[in-house]
Amino acid sequence: MIKKFILKTAYFILPAVFLFGISLIGLIRTESPDVLRMGMIPNIYKHYRDRFDLSEKENFERLSKTKKRKFDFLTMGDSFSEQKGYGYNHFLAEKYTTLHVDEFISNNQIQTLINLINGDFFDHYTIKYVVLQNVERHFIDNITGINFNTKIEQKQIDSLILNHHEELKENKTDSEFFSRSTLQFPLYYMPKFFICKDYLSNDLIYNYNLNSKKLFSNESDKLLFYKYDIISLAESNKISNVVLLNNVLNKISQKLQEKNVKLIVLPAPDKYDMYYDDIADKINLEKPLFFEHIKPLKKNYLYINSKEILKSHMNNEQDIYFYDDTHWSPVASRIIVNEIDKAVHAR
């Protein structure tokens, strides 16, 4: 009787254990690599990141922790500015004293920079250059409703820091035995990765075939990128929006110059834009135009044309972006810092 019960139970449980084992081995649940996690893309290149040293502690000072008040550079941005020990501001700090405004403070970095200028921040801190970094897909969004009359005082920043508690990002549901991913990953998303091409995975990550296997060191011909890279083109491809953005940046630059601070604008190209020319089949894929629109506009700030700079290295350098992530690898971060260095010395 007991033996029959065990056999019947095993009949149902063992397949579930098998599927769970597959998802445990092949499914990414950590914050990074983000495209593998968001798209439920199988992690088949286990040693891909071994070529990078991602273990270094960040060199720059954080506004939330430092007691220092004098810096060469202030960096503000989004997740590209939060890559810690392998981001551009980490390598910038190897050459210059660098203060970074934590993402939980900067939020919309453009509005926050305006708030800092209008407040007393630059009375408390001596800064030579501000690097304003913004990923391409959110650049136009971030000037929607921008207000040049708001401000934030140092005591408000101190209060933000005091009351900030880091959230632990952990998807407990998806790591449990009976979860959506336990079934969907091995039965649907993993087979789809090997069978299909040019598709949207888990409604978040596009997987398109490239016309080369030389762009990433794992010799993959897959381009994995965030779907908002395409959705955002509806606004970022409009030249009127880019002109408006440039006007905002010029105005910010003027206000910083009144405080003897120079603005450096660093757009981070979307991965889709960076590799658009290398996609094998571009039928029905809209061409990104943001960098073409902004390049000829008159600028009162130092502009880092990151797309042009990084593309010029793509024939000689692999992994400008991580294969498995939406962000720059340390290869790109170092290239960008060299260009910032050149821009500063060219003045």
Side-chain angles (χ1 to χ4, degrees):
M1 189 71 178
I2 295 176
K3 187 177 179 182
K4 278 187 176 181
F5 174 76
I6 292 173
L7 287 173
K8 285 183 179 179
T9 303
Y11 181 78
F12 290 103
I13 293 296
L14 287 180
V17 170
F18 178 69
L19 294 176
F20 180 70
I22 293 174
S23 65
L24 203 61
I25 294 169
L27 185 61
I28 292 292
R29 293 185 172 86
T30 52
E31 187 69 15
S32 178
D34 59 3
V35 295
L36 300 191
R37 171 179 52 81
M38 290 190 290
M40 287 199 190
I41 305 290
N43 183 22
I44 60 175
Y45 302 103
K46 298 287 185 183
H47 298 289
Y48 165 65
R49 292 192 171 207
D50 289 355
R51 68 167 295 206
F52 308 108
D53 181 5
L54 307 179
S55 61
E56 285 190 50
K57 291 183 69 175
E58 59 193 28
N59 284 327
F60 54 84
E61 300 278 339
R62 286 184 177 270
L63 181 59
S64 61
K65 295 177 180 175
T66 191
K67 301 293 182 187
K68 299 175 184 174
R69 290 292 183 268
K70 190 174 180 180
F71 294 91
D72 296 317
F73 282 85
L74 176 74
T75 62
M76 302 180 65
D78 43 49
S79 55
F80 281 80
S81 296
E82 291 287 344
Q83 292 184 276
K84 299 182 179 177
Y86 56 93
Y88 76 90
N89 40 5
H90 167 74
F91 298 116
L92 187 65
E94 291 180 343
K95 299 183 178 184
Y96 301 97
T97 53
T98 303
L99 174 65
H100 176 60
V101 181
D102 310 63
E103 196 174 12
F104 77 86
I105 299 171
S106 60
N107 195 7
N108 178 337
Q109 57 271 46
I110 300 175
Q111 184 64 66
T112 301
L113 179 54
I114 293 169
N115 295 346
L116 293 179
I117 295 169
N118 290 339
D120 57 357
F121 177 84
F122 289 97
D123 296 330
H124 291 272
Y125 291 85
T126 301
I127 304 289
K128 295 178 181 175
Y129 299 91
V130 172
V131 176
L132 181 63
Q133 175 271 316
N134 209 119
V135 69
E136 180 183 355
R137 59 179 167 270
H138 294 312
F139 224 156
I140 299 301
D141 286 348
N142 281 349
I143 61 163
T144 303
I146 208 80
N147 189 334
F148 272 92
N149 297 315
T150 56
K151 65 181 180 180
I152 185 169
E153 301 291 354
Q154 186 59 45
K155 60 183 179 183
Q156 293 173 283
I157 298 171
D158 292 339
S159 178
L160 271 175
I161 294 169
L162 188 65
N163 295 314
H164 174 69
H165 303 286
E166 287 192 30
E167 294 180 9
L168 292 175
K169 296 180 179 177
E170 184 181 0
N171 192 338
K172 289 185 177 179
T173 302
D174 270 1
S175 64
E176 291 171 353
F177 183 75
F178 292 104
S179 69
R180 182 177 68 99
S181 62
T182 301
L183 292 177
Q184 287 184 327
F185 175 71
L187 295 179
Y188 182 70
Y189 290 110
M190 190 170 76
K192 191 174 184 178
F193 176 80
F194 292 107
I195 296 170
C196 300
K197 66 176 186 178
D198 301 351
Y199 68 96
L200 181 62
S201 186
N202 198 26
D203 197 35
L204 285 173
I205 299 299
Y206 280 109
N207 178 358
Y208 270 80
N209 273 24
L210 294 164
N211 54 24
S212 170
K213 291 187 176 182
K214 296 180 180 178
L215 296 168
F216 301 107
S217 59
N218 60 359
E219 299 183 344
S220 172
D221 62 353
K222 305 283 189 184
L223 180 67
L224 308 173
F225 61 95
Y226 189 29
K227 76 170 184 179
Y228 203 75
D229 290 4
I230 289 182
I231 292 173
S232 63
L233 295 179
E235 297 303 321
S236 62
N237 271 359
K238 292 178 183 172
I239 191 166
S240 58
N241 283 339
V242 179
V243 169
L244 182 62
L245 169 65
N246 190 58
N247 291 341
V248 168
L249 296 173
N250 278 336
K251 190 170 179 179
I252 292 172
S253 179
Q254 180 60 41
K255 291 172 79 68
L256 278 173
Q257 284 177 31
E258 292 169 4
K259 297 179 180 294
N260 294 318
V261 180
K262 189 68 182 174
L263 176 65
I264 299 174
V265 174
L266 172 60
D270 292 333
K271 193 175 180 184
Y272 168 68
D273 190 356
M274 180 58 62
Y275 293 94
Y276 175 82
D277 294 335
D278 303 290
I279 293 174
D281 184 357
K282 291 188 278 291
I283 295 176
N284 298 324
L285 287 181
E286 187 175 358
K287 183 181 179 181
L289 299 173
F290 174 83
F291 282 88
E292 286 184 28
H293 288 333
I294 199 168
K295 184 178 178 179
L297 299 179
K298 185 179 179 183
K299 304 173 185 68
N300 296 327
Y301 51 86
L302 294 176
Y303 173 61
I304 305 297
N305 190 341
S306 49
K307 180 183 172 183
E308 190 172 279
I309 293 162
L310 294 175
K311 280 190 83 70
S312 71
H313 287 264
M314 280 175 61
N315 288 334
N316 303 315
E317 298 270 12
Q318 293 178 310
D319 302 312
I320 296 293
Y321 282 64
F322 287 118
Y323 151 80
D324 53 12
D325 205 282
T326 58
H327 297 92
W328 293 330
S329 78
V331 175
S333 297
R334 285 190 178 278
I335 292 170
I336 291 296
V337 168
N338 286 338
E339 294 301 321
I340 293 174
D341 197 31
K342 286 179 190 174
V344 169
H345 284 95
R347 290 187 64 206

